[in-house]
Amino acid sequence: MATNITWHPNLSYDERKTLRKQHGCTIWLTGLSASGKSTVACALEQLLLQKKLAAYRLDGDNIRFGLNKDLGFSEADRNENIRRISEVSKLFADSCTISITSFISPYRVDRDKARELHKEAGLKFVEVFVDVPIEIAEQRDPKGLYKKAREGIIKDFTGISAPYEAPESPEVHLRTDLKSIEECANIIYEYLVREKVI
């Protein structure tokens, strides 16, 4: 850790909130590959922007083209991937933007650390479990990843050869095999309204 650095104070969160006329928060979508996280996140981002709310989506695949392009899929790299996104989403939330993350984030401890990071900063963290039976995820398999994992081509694939630890008490639990994408986005939106986040 660097020792020759000094924290430079910013505007306070309350000052930004007053100027931007909205709260910031992180909406953390977690679930298996092909559960619908990215699709729900896109629909939610569009819904929030249509309501004139500042929102930005951080997608698991997209982030690996830039910020996290140096990381693989070992447990240590997955932990670092989520640590970095936790910090970035916290910055967005602190700027009074609604940060929407869609990451498998398979380990409960990493998601708990993300939540704690937000809590320490006084920022709202909303965990959304995008749930689907693995059989349905495998049927969807838009990228052909499950097939490659079953064939042994992809090692450490979440849900097949690597664990996924489901959330124990998420703020929102979605079943994308039972609800449409629009319904799922609306469920999250209604939660944010009910909790006075927006």
Side-chain angles (χ1 to χ4, degrees):
M1 182 172 178
T3 56
N4 58 339
I5 58 173
T6 304
W7 181 261
H8 193 278
N10 299 319
L11 285 174
S12 73
Y13 176 80
D14 287 336
E15 288 172 309
R16 264 194 296 278
K17 184 175 71 175
T18 300
L19 292 168
R20 295 197 66 190
K21 298 178 178 42
Q22 84 169 59
H23 291 275
C25 74
T26 291
I27 303 167
W28 192 281
L29 283 76
T30 177
L32 293 170
S33 181
S35 62
K37 296 177 304 299
S38 294
T39 310
V40 171
C42 281
L44 178 62
E45 182 185 31
Q46 289 174 348
L47 176 61
L48 293 169
L49 292 171
Q50 288 167 0
K51 304 277 187 186
K52 309 293 186 226
L53 293 161
Y56 192 81
R57 181 176 62 93
L58 298 165
D59 180 78
D61 281 352
N62 294 356
I63 291 294
R64 285 180 177 273
F65 281 97
L67 178 66
N68 291 349
K69 68 181 175 183
D70 60 324
L71 299 176
F73 291 92
S74 68
E75 183 172 347
D77 280 359
R78 287 171 191 245
N79 295 344
E80 177 59 14
N81 183 46
I82 298 307
R83 187 197 68 78
R84 291 181 193 178
I85 293 312
S86 301
E87 293 284 356
V88 171
S89 63
K90 184 189 88 167
L91 292 173
F92 272 92
D94 188 51
S95 77
C96 295
T97 298
I98 299 169
S99 175
I100 307 163
T101 73
S102 52
F103 287 77
I104 293 171
S105 46
Y107 303 113
R108 199 173 292 124
V109 66
D110 292 334
R111 297 191 306 267
D112 289 346
K113 285 179 187 173
R115 180 186 294 278
E116 189 59 31
L117 186 69
H118 284 72
K119 184 178 178 183
E120 288 169 1
L123 298 167
K124 182 83 171 162
F125 182 91
V126 179
E127 187 176 42
V128 177
F129 181 23
V130 184
D131 189 10
V132 69
I134 193 159
E135 301 79 26
I136 302 292
E138 284 198 69
Q139 286 170 16
R140 292 176 178 173
D141 201 14
K143 303 170 196 170
L145 300 177
Y146 282 98
K147 184 175 185 294
K148 289 178 182 174
R150 291 283 186 202
E151 293 169 352
I153 297 168
I154 298 176
K155 307 291 182 204
D156 300 323
F157 189 76
T158 303
I160 303 295
S161 51
Y164 177 77
E165 298 168 358
E168 293 176 335
S169 54
E171 282 78 7
V172 179
H173 186 163
L174 303 174
R175 282 288 302 266
T176 57
D177 57 324
L178 303 176
K179 301 270 186 198
S180 72
I181 294 304
E182 293 73 23
E183 286 173 318
C184 289
N186 274 309
I187 288 167
I188 301 170
Y189 178 80
E190 287 163 9
Y191 172 86
L192 297 175
V193 170
R194 200 166 54 248
E195 294 297 313
K196 298 181 172 52
V197 177
I198 55 176

